[in-house]
């Protein structure tokens, strides 16, 4: 019959490819690792490193992988990326919402220094994460924001409220 190496050997080889100098190979390795759900501290570390130093397509793929793996370990690094523009922001938001409640305090601390688009993104993330701390924060910032942002915050508050258990809505 055909001999298949054990998953451990395959995983090690895939993880090794994350260090390749060949960008295409690294992109493919990230795709396969994400698809197979290979979740180890070494994978998380490599994907996190890719967030810092790489061309945008690799950073986006690393974020997709981290969102899929729900990597709480990289919250500190990913949360500030919600202030980036375009696709990077979208995928950073996916990671942040996958992480959930542990990201709330860092999102709240970023809010004050964010521009209009950053505040919108943070509000959206908080409403998707939900829970009382996120809801109370959104309610608290609502009065001092300009009308356009107030409209978005109001929608976020509604979404957040819809996701809460009735007992928490009191």
């Amino acid at each position: 019959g055909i001999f298949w190496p054990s998953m451990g050997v395959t995983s090690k080889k895939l993880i090794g490819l994350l260090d390749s100098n060949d960008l295409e190979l690294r992109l493919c390795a990230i795709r396969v690792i994400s698809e197979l759900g290979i979740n180890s501290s070494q994978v998380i570390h490599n994907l996190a490193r890719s967030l810092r130093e790489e061309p945008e397509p690799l950073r986006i793929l690393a974020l997709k992988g981290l969102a899929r793996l729900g990597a709480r370990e990289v919250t500190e690094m990913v949360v500030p990326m919600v202030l980036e523009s375009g696709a990077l922001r979208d995928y950073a938001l996916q990671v942040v919402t996958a992480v959930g409640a542990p990201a709330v305090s860092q999102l709240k601390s970023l809010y004050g220094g964010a521009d209009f688009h950053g505040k919108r993104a943070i509000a959206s993330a908080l409403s998707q994460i939900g829970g009382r701390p996120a809801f109370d924060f959104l309610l608290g910032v609502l009065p001092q924001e300009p009308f356009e942002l107030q409209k978005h915050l109001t929608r976020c508050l509604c979404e957040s409220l819809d996701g809460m258990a009735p007992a928490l809505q009191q």
Side-chain angles (χ1 to χ4, degrees), residues 21-80:
N21 291 328
D22 180 335
L23 183 62
E24 268 312 299
L25 208 49
R26 287 177 74 184
L27 289 167
C28 292
I30 292 172
R31 280 197 184 99
V32 172
I33 284 168
S34 301
E35 196 58 42
L36 296 176
I38 299 170
N39 196 347
S40 70
S41 58
Q42 198 177 355
V43 167
I44 303 301
H45 172 77
N46 269 294
L47 293 178
R49 197 190 65 225
S50 296
L51 294 179
R52 280 195 297 267
E53 62 192 33
E54 306 300 340
E56 191 170 284
L58 194 57
R59 293 175 77 198
I60 288 171
L61 207 53
L63 283 167
K64 283 182 180 177
L66 291 166
R68 196 154 186 170
L69 300 173
R72 281 179 165 66
E73 300 89 339
V74 296
T75 308
E76 295 284 314
M77 243 175 104
V78 175
V79 170

